[in-house]
Amino acid sequence: MKMAQAQNDNSVVATPELSRRQFLKVSAISGVGFSIGLSFSHAASAEAQQPSAMGHFIKIAKDNSITVVIKHLDKGQGVTTGLTAIVAEEMNADWAQMRWEFAPADAQRYNNLFWGPYQGTGGSTSIANSWMQLRQAGAAAKAMLIAAAAKQWAVAESEVVAENGQLTAAGRKATYGDMAEAAALIAPPEKPTLKTPEEFTLVGKSVPRIDSKEKSTGKANYTIDVRLPGMLVAAIARPDKFGATLKSVNSDKARAVAGVESVITTPRGVAVIAKNHWAARQGKQALTIEWDDSQAETRSSTQLWSDFKALAETDGAVARNDGDFAKAIAEAAQTVELEFEFPYLSHATMEPMNCVVDLQKDACHIYTGSQIPGIDQYVASQVTGLPVEKVFVHTQFAGGSFGRRAVPDSDFVMDAVVIAKAINGAAPICMQWSREDDIKAGRYRPMAFHKFRAAIDQQNGISGWHHRIVSQSILRGTPFEGLITGPLDFAIAEGGANLPYQIPNFKFDGHEAKAGVPVLWWRSVGHSHNAYATEVFFDEVAHAAGQDPAALRQQLLKEHPRHLAVLNKVLAESNWGSALPAGTGLGVAVHESFASFVAQVAQVKVNDDKSYQVEKVWCAVDCGVAVTPDVIVAQMEGGIGYGLSAILGEAITLDGGKVVQNNFYDYTPLRINQMPDIKVFIMPSDVAPTGVGEPGTPPIGPAVANAIRSVTGKAVTKLPIGNRLV
Amino acid sequence: MISFELNGDKVTYEGDPNMPLLWYVRDELNLTGSKFGCGVGMCGACTMHLNGQPVRSCSTPMAAANGARVTTIEGLNSEAAVAIQQAWQKLDVVQCGYCQSGQVMSATALLENNKQPNDQDIDMAMQGNICRCATYHRIRAAIHEASDTLAKEVS
């Protein structure tokens, strides 16, 4: 599959440094071709049947409802609330009149401004790339409504007040809905006047989540809830090793299961098509399959670790090299070394991957939660032979994603489309993976081996730092390969190569290890292991140098005021340095990811039997302007929980190439009794907003490990930690 | 034939008695609020009430529902349920929301049995419900909030 390469300077899936300067530049570009994208509709639901005819970003209906078209996937991170709030703010709308709907797949109108020509959700960019775009759209809509009212009432525009979804002037009054048709005839302003931050009444004020009610009452619809007339359910038996193919299948017993309609073999596995989920699952279990392993990855985890460690003994591709590390080591008063092992991790979303496909003679309708709908559209077009514009993606709420629903080869969508094609669209198909399918399907956070060496000089300062990493590339060999600019996939190096601490002799190199296990971005991508490795090693070095880890961070972050500010905030809030009960310790970590800055302090109690409990977490975040503060707090809480879950109990391991784990009894996410008390502090800022979906995750692991270290004196270098310390 | 009460209505079923209650409710009755998460009773996304007690419907065979009173999220209307769902909205507990029907069902059953649970009671009652968005912090707070609401209504 070949897709045009995006421009490197503003196409960011997960680049480590999305600078403010870049953001402003991108916004300015988008401003040049600004189209207001308004459509005034009486019947939004009828329009939704024809996605290409949908309005651009804002629809104002006669009943005075304002619908914001959401170009990003909401997988829990709250963009439906955040993006709607931005429009409501600039329109001076009443929050109660706001509605939302997901955009269709249409990269022309709904591209992520940071990704160039692609529509997509990822890299914590939704609010950041939409901020100016939706402010301008909202401001333009308001200006057009005011102009229409002024014209109709024969008053000056300056006399018309637009407030709470109402227009008033000289004793006249109309709702936005009343004025919508007239406003549609007004030419959009070229440069709509934006509100000043002092004028904001919604942004920064925590509007209630727009999806709380439907999600608290079971009414929210996900892919698994899509119902189409005549729809059948498909379960698919996939190869048990990565790269294996089908050798033979006996489906006699499966066909005999009541409710099973047919069994088909596809290049991706054997699909059982049935009247309902239970029959499909029963049918799948009744299959007898032999796989051809000749092209499969058959190594076990132990072998992979040996291979990774052997690579780590050799020089890697250099991503950063300041000063002269070898000289620093030669002149060091002491040296410190440490190695870290990070396992493969599954996203393990609550909704196992699924996709509904309705393949018709001249159109293919896809119903799923997708982070990159354009790829799914393209893949479906390739499989069905239909032109891309005849593939329609109907975005559904995603029951979690964390990166899993952004697959460069559309794995689970492909499964569904291939099945629909194999039956020539005889019926709409709901392709549903089991939990086991989902756990074993790959697309993991890559395994990573880190090797560190630091030099401490005569003055007990850090004079040298060498960080070497061995991990799999996420981008290499995908349509996103063009985003790699240096010798090493930045998704491996991010958060490690750009370590902010002022260290004169600094070297980062790495190897892109080869393995047949498919890997993918997993909430915070490379930061998920680089933050852990660097921040835990930092404490190791600080202790060796006889320095307080927090004070040493403060000293070495003098040139990084935003890092320093979040760090100082959590140190103050957690009373860093004050006395604690025996066996209880604090650990701190600070990390920048996706242009947001987060510091966390964790309080951990270590018991005599080596069991432990993460009791409290203090978290400070600087994400620029806080658009919806309570959603930001929620993302910090959730990001902490997700990161904690991984370091406490998650690992995917291989035995002879087969994934060992099956379900939530052996892949064990965090449960409520393991959740610490969390306090989140949002730093005041007037800088353009940056993301919050991922940045809460990287610091929690090292904060917890450093807290454990403060009690035991021993760095935790192998994850997951498990129920007891070793 | 299997017959039972579902959300106050009598239903009868003549198919495979081993079919899990979850798939009957979702696929045959088209009530989609209860979710499929793991199929082995380990995540709680499918939680329903069977005679007032929370059960994992993905691993509850239809045979076990015979003669029982089954409630799904669509049929929740007790005082405790209303308090729970209002607290969920007041504190904006949800994120992706996929597990939340199950969370609400477990939390409601807890409050129906124990109007003033402490943190330990909450941990015990809610431990079977996984939330990958880790909304646990707010789930705990919302259960306390709902408990306070119920206490005020009584006094």
Side-chain angles (χ1 to χ4, degrees):
Chain A
M1 180 164 96
K2 283 271 181 283
M3 296 175 68
Q5 285 177 5
Q7 291 167 11
N8 287 324
D9 60 347
N10 61 1
S11 318
V12 180
V13 177
T15 45
E17 287 146 3
L18 171 65
S19 71
R20 186 181 173 206
R21 193 172 52 80
Q22 273 176 320
F23 172 79
L24 293 170
K25 189 174 68 180
V26 172
S27 300
I29 290 166
S30 75
V32 173
F34 176 66
S35 76
I36 182 164
L38 287 171
S39 104
F40 295 90
S41 144
H42 305 273
S45 57
E47 275 201 348
Q49 302 299 313
Q50 297 183 332
S52 61
M54 273 172 82
H56 200 153
F57 283 115
I58 301 169
K59 298 177 182 182
I60 305 172
K62 274 214 154 160
D63 67 1
N64 204 26
S65 65
I66 300 173
T67 302
V68 178
V69 181
I70 306 294
K71 68 176 184 177
H72 292 288
L73 175 65
D74 200 320
K75 44 204 174 11
Q77 84 281 36
V79 286
T80 50
T81 302
L83 300 181
T84 303
I86 293 170
V87 172
E89 178 69 71
E90 287 293 347
M91 286 189 74
N92 286 347
D94 182 0
W95 186 243
Q97 76 188 119
M98 300 308 293
R99 310 281 183 273
W100 66 273
E101 65 189 33
F102 284 124
D106 180 351
Q108 293 266 322
R109 293 169 166 190
Y110 299 118
N111 62 316
N112 183 324
L113 300 180
F114 292 173
W115 294 12
Y118 298 119
Q119 181 178 356
T121 308
S124 298
T125 57
S126 298
I127 293 285
N129 95 95
S130 302
W131 170 241
M132 289 306 287
Q133 187 175 43
L134 290 183
R135 286 184 70 191
Q136 286 171 330
K142 184 178 69 184
M144 290 162 75
L145 288 162
I146 288 173
K151 200 170 159 192
Q152 207 172 88
W153 299 338
V155 297
E157 286 182 19
S158 59
E159 288 180 44
V160 180
V161 176
E163 278 299 343
N164 298 322
Q166 306 272 348
L167 298 152
T168 51
R172 308 282 300 260
K173 193 173 175 184
T175 67
Y176 287 3
D178 295 334
M179 202 57 72
E181 274 187 348
L185 302 173
I186 303 284
E190 272 186 27
K191 281 191 179 171
T193 309
L194 302 180
K195 290 168 83 167
T196 63
E198 295 74 33
E199 293 172 319
F200 289 160
T201 58
L202 293 174
V203 165
K205 304 292 191 294
S206 281
V207 294
R209 262 190 91 110
I210 208 162
D211 54 357
S212 259
K213 188 172 184 185
E214 58 187 316
K215 287 179 175 177
S216 305
T217 52
K219 294 195 175 79
N221 277 323
Y222 302 81
T223 301
I224 197 173
D225 304 323
V226 171
R227 295 291 185 268
L228 298 174
M231 188 177 84
L232 296 174
V233 174
I236 185 164
R238 300 155 56 86
D240 59 358
K241 297 186 191 71
F242 301 109
T245 52
L246 183 66
K247 193 174 188 180
S248 70
V249 57
N250 183 330
S251 59
D252 294 348
K253 283 184 188 162
R255 288 174 201 274
V257 170
V260 169
E261 300 258 313
S262 60
V263 178
I264 55 167
T265 59
T266 80
R268 306 178 66 79
V270 182
V272 177
I273 299 170
K275 285 201 168 76
N276 58 44
H277 287 266
W278 176 238
R281 289 164 64 85
Q282 296 273 95
K284 182 183 156 192
Q285 279 192 341
L287 293 168
T288 308
I289 303 177
E290 263 190 286
W291 303 106
D292 175 354
D293 286 354
S294 57
Q295 303 298 313
E297 172 63 81
T298 56
R299 282 179 287 177
S300 296
S301 292
T302 45
Q303 184 63 49
L304 285 170
W305 281 125
S306 312
D307 295 350
F308 276 41
K309 287 173 186 176
L311 263 182
E313 294 305 313
T314 61
D315 290 339
V318 178
R320 182 174 159 196
N321 198 359
D322 301 344
D324 185 345
F325 176 75
K327 188 159 174 273
I329 284 288
E331 293 170 357
Q334 64 171 306
T335 60
V336 186
E337 293 179 14
L338 215 55
E339 295 175 349
F340 294 85
E341 293 179 23
F342 297 88
Y344 287 120
L345 294 174
S346 170
H347 302 75
T349 58
M350 290 309 295
E351 182 182 24
M353 292 301 112
N354 49 12
C355 178
V356 172
V357 175
D358 184 6
L359 177 59
Q360 301 166 359
K361 197 167 156 243
D362 53 1
C364 179
H365 292 272
I366 295 175
Y367 301 79
T368 195
S370 172
Q371 288 185 235
I372 318 179
I375 290 186
D376 299 331
Q377 206 179 17
Y378 177 84
V379 162
S381 156
Q382 293 286 299
V383 172
T384 61
L386 290 166
V388 167
E389 61 273 17
K390 291 294 176 191
V391 178
F392 301 102
V393 179
H394 306 268
T395 298
Q396 308 295 313
F397 270 135
S401 183
F402 317 110
R404 185 62 181 85
R405 287 179 174 272
V407 196
D409 71 352
S410 296
D411 61 345
F412 60 93
V413 172
M414 179 91 97
D415 278 359
V417 178
V418 162
I419 294 167
K421 176 71 177 169
I423 60 166
N424 279 320
I429 291 292
C430 172
M431 194 292 303
Q432 176 67 54
W433 283 0
S434 66
R435 172 59 56 195
E436 289 79 4
D437 295 332
D438 195 88
I439 293 278
K440 292 176 183 291
R443 321 289 161 186
Y444 304 128
R445 194 287 301 273
M447 270 174 59
F449 181 71
H450 295 245
K451 195 174 166 65
F452 285 89
R453 199 168 184 210
I456 297 172
D457 63 20
Q458 308 293 342
Q459 291 75 42
N460 284 326
I462 307 178
S463 52
W465 177 286
H466 178 205
H467 182 178
R468 176 171 293 160
I469 183 169
V470 179
S471 189
Q472 275 173 264
S473 170
I474 294 172
L475 293 148
R476 198 78 67 192
T478 77
F480 299 101
E481 184 164 345
L483 295 173
I484 303 175
T485 49
L488 189 65
D489 181 351
F490 63 78
I492 290 178
E494 62 183 1
N498 57 334
L499 197 76
Y501 299 117
Q502 200 177 343
I503 298 170
N505 305 292
F506 184 101
K507 187 175 177 188
F508 184 104
D509 67 343
H511 294 275
E512 294 178 6
K514 298 278 181 273
V517 182
V519 294
L520 192 62
W521 19 73
W522 178 102
R523 198 173 194 169
S524 81
V525 198
H527 298 280
S528 69
H529 48 92
N530 277 314
Y532 187 99
T534 55
E535 285 292 83
V536 172
F537 185 60
F538 188 94
D539 269 39
E540 189 74 5
V541 177
H543 285 291
Q547 303 220 39
D548 174 64
L552 188 58
R553 280 181 176 81
Q554 288 170 320
Q555 187 194 324
L556 299 182
L557 288 172
K558 278 184 188 147
E559 306 293 319
H560 296 270
R562 295 178 78 181
H563 285 85
L564 195 56
V566 289
L567 174 65
N568 286 338
K569 180 67 181 171
V570 287
L571 293 176
E573 294 291 343
S574 64
N575 287 317
W576 184 269
S578 64
L580 290 164
T584 302
L586 296 183
V588 67
V590 57
H591 193 77
E592 175 195 356
S593 60
F594 310 96
S596 291
F597 303 78
V598 180
Q600 289 164 8
V601 167
Q603 179 176 311
V604 180
K605 182 172 188 289
V606 178
N607 304 310
D608 293 339
D609 64 357
K610 299 277 181 115
S611 65
Y612 60 97
Q613 182 82 23
V614 183
E615 296 179 324
K616 288 182 191 169
V617 176
W618 294 264
C619 170
V621 53
D622 173 357
C623 55
V625 171
V627 176
T628 44
D630 193 54
V631 172
I632 294 168
V633 171
Q635 283 309 294
M636 290 302 118
E637 293 165 354
I640 288 166
Y642 200 75
L644 193 56
S645 184
I647 68 147
L648 296 191
E650 294 178 32
I652 290 287
T653 54
L654 303 178
D655 182 8
K658 283 190 190 178
V659 174
V660 173
Q661 290 70 27
N662 300 280
N663 203 316
F664 289 138
Y665 49 82
D666 50 10
Y667 192 84
T668 52
L670 192 82
R671 290 177 185 268
I672 194 168
N673 57 309
Q674 297 170 292
M675 188 72 176
D677 187 29
I678 299 173
K679 288 199 166 53
V680 178
F681 308 91
I682 301 173
M683 308 302 283
S685 174
D686 55 6
V687 174
T690 47
V692 293
E694 296 167 272
T697 297
I700 186 60
V704 167
N706 288 339
I708 292 171
R709 193 203 189 289
S710 78
V711 177
T712 65
K714 211 174 147 199
V716 180
T717 58
K718 205 169 171 178
L719 295 178
I721 306 174
N723 293 330
R724 280 186 163 71
L725 304 175
V726 288
Chain B
M1 190 179 74
I2 292 163
S3 69
F4 59 100
E5 193 187 300
L6 188 113
N7 297 338
D9 294 331
K10 188 154 187 190
V11 292
T12 58
Y13 171 78
E14 290 185 343
D16 178 2
N18 293 319
M19 174 151 100
L21 180 58
L22 172 70
W23 295 120
Y24 170 73
V25 168
R26 286 188 53 89
D27 286 354
E28 299 205 11
L29 302 183
N30 222 7
L31 297 175
T32 57
S34 313
K35 300 299 190 228
F36 165 68
C38 69
V40 296
M42 290 295 295
C43 81
C46 64
T47 304
M48 297 179 188
H49 294 175
L50 192 113
N51 294 329
Q53 295 304 309
V55 295
R56 312 302 177 209
S57 67
C58 74
S59 35
T60 303
M62 286 301 285
N66 196 23
R69 186 165 43 85
V70 175
T71 307
T72 69
I73 183 110
E74 290 87 354
L76 269 193
N77 57 13
S78 70
E79 206 183 9
V82 172
I84 285 287
Q85 287 177 317
Q86 283 177 350
W88 244 244
Q89 290 165 55
K90 184 175 171 190
L91 300 189
D92 276 344
V93 169
V94 306
Q95 289 188 28
C96 92
Y98 193 80
C99 74
Q100 296 295 348
S101 292
Q103 304 281 1
V104 164
M105 294 305 286
S106 291
T108 298
L110 167 64
L111 278 200
E112 283 173 352
N113 293 318
N114 174 3
K115 284 210 166 12
Q116 285 182 301
N118 59 27
D119 278 347
Q120 265 187 329
D121 299 330
I122 292 172
D123 280 1
M124 284 294 287
M126 303 301 294
Q127 235 177 80
N129 290 80
I130 296 175
C131 173
R132 283 295 275 163
C133 302
T135 60
Y136 301 127
H137 190 244
R138 292 185 188 216
I139 286 173
R140 212 181 272 152
I143 292 173
H144 283 305
E145 168 83 23
S147 165
D148 291 349
T149 304
L150 289 180
K152 274 181 214 148
E153 281 169 7
V154 170
S155 59

